[in-house]
Amino acid sequence: MFFRAVTLAFLLIAAPVVQAAGLKKIEVPADHTGQAITATQWSPCARPAKDIQAGPFVISGVRDCPVAGKNLPLILISHGFGGASLSHHDTAEALSDAGFIVVALNHPDDTLSNTERFHNRQALVTRATDIKRLLDYMLTSSPDSAIINPNSIGFFGFSRGGYTGLILAGAQPDFKKLAPPCTNEAGATCPDNTPQTVLLLPASQDSRVKAFVLADPLSSVFADPTSLKNISHPIDLWASQNGGDGVSPKDVLALAQNLPSPSTLHIAQNAGHFSFLTVCPPKLAEAVPDLCIDAPNFNRAAFHKDFNENMISFFRKTLSSERIE
């Protein structure tokens, strides 16, 4: 799934926030398994919210606020192609306000700042490993590791992030089903962007993750029902009615029919693929309408309110989420 560069979009996105959340930046050091990973962490916070300048973003929260509670569930967020840790910050903040620790990473091979992402599909191999390394860090090396319930780990992924969640859940992709090689924004064919470059996927299932919310996942590589046979944890699957950016509603519906685990399917009526991204301010909508402008009969802000509330309910049902004050 490749779309034209949206650097300006992600640098200017800012969504309204209703309540406070603790906010901090974290980094997973590089090791023999991969590059350094940067991420943003949200956590329950008892202090009044303030406006925080996080690069170009203004977020309501409290920087480095002491985490309120113990034995808290953890939700990991995986962005789509060319996204970033703040691409779904309204969802992260809603989850944090509801009592979850939330960590959204920048996938090194597939994030906004990596211009090489247009020239290869390496991220399809490394994404699940990124999540596993991040989870290792959060449960062992993070200063907050002692207050995380290791038996209450959830995952939210959008687009390629949804693909990442399926890999973590146990799916086995068939890269021969990928679309033809991409072209970059200058129109040049990506030279090494072929299925053969990403066939060697390491074993990536992670049984520590107990529940998944997947929005418009890249699912064409899971067309064979047997590719999903190892999935056993609950999945809450969301599909935009109109699709986009290489994600076909038909493929997502086929995925829903083939999932062997306890799963639910929601069709976001009148939504497009990018409707799952946080709300764009007017100037951004004017600058990048393909990313920000929805169908006339679709209200992204109202949808996100319902979407976030549904996600909170799902994780509360599927994870052991009791807080200890």
Side-chain angles (χ1 to χ4, degrees), residues 104-141:
L105 79 166
N106 298 304
H107 286 283
D109 286 320
D110 208 4
T111 197
L112 171 67
S113 61
N114 182 0
T115 58
E116 292 303 312
R117 68 186 183 278
F118 289 103
H119 299 279
N120 63 66
R121 285 174 169 156
Q122 180 65 19
L124 296 180
V125 174
T126 58
R127 273 178 159 268
T129 301
D130 295 341
I131 296 293
K132 292 164 74 74
R133 292 177 59 221
L134 176 62
L135 183 52
D136 288 342
Y137 173 85
M138 291 304 300
L139 295 180
T140 59
S141 302

Side-chain angles (χ1 to χ4, degrees), residues 259-311:
L259 281 171
S261 66
S263 62
T264 53
L265 172 66
H266 311 265
I267 306 297
Q269 298 296 322
N270 302 314
H273 183 65
F274 296 120
S275 299
F276 290 107
L277 294 174
T278 193
V279 177
C280 299
K283 288 184 179 180
L284 177 60
E286 182 178 346
V288 194
D290 291 347
L291 194 71
C292 297
I293 302 299
D294 300 296
N297 52 355
F298 182 85
N299 185 320
R300 189 180 297 197
F303 168 73
H304 272 245
K305 183 176 184 298
D306 292 340
F307 177 63
N308 294 341
E309 290 176 354
N310 188 287
M311 191 182 307

Side-chain angles (χ1 to χ4, degrees), residues 122-251:
Q122 180 65 19
L124 296 180
V125 174
T126 58
R127 273 178 159 268
T129 301
D130 295 341
I131 296 293
K132 292 164 74 74
R133 292 177 59 221
L134 176 62
L135 183 52
D136 288 342
Y137 173 85
M138 291 304 300
L139 295 180
T140 59
S141 302
S142 165
D144 297 323
S145 60
I147 61 175
I148 297 172
N149 184 340
N151 298 312
S152 296
I153 310 297
F155 176 94
F156 164 53
F158 162 69
S159 195
R160 277 195 180 187
Y163 155 89
T164 306
L166 288 167
I167 298 296
L168 292 166
Q172 297 292 324
D174 178 1
F175 291 119
K176 295 187 296 294
K177 299 295 185 181
L178 287 172
C182 75
T183 56
N184 63 22
E185 57 184 340
T189 300
C190 301
D192 59 348
N193 187 25
T194 62
Q196 287 74 24
T197 64
V198 292
L199 284 177
L200 299 178
L201 184 73
S204 300
Q205 184 174 16
D206 196 323
S207 61
R208 295 174 296 180
V209 185
K210 306 299 185 184
F212 299 82
V213 177
L214 310 178
D216 259 8
L218 168 63
S219 50
S220 59
V221 292
F222 305 107
D224 185 346
T226 63
S227 69
L228 307 169
K229 65 181 181 180
N230 293 328
I231 296 179
S232 59
H233 291 307
I235 291 178
D236 201 41
L237 181 63
W238 290 74
S240 62
Q241 183 180 26
N242 299 326
D245 193 36
V247 173
S248 164
K250 180 180 178 181
D251 289 338

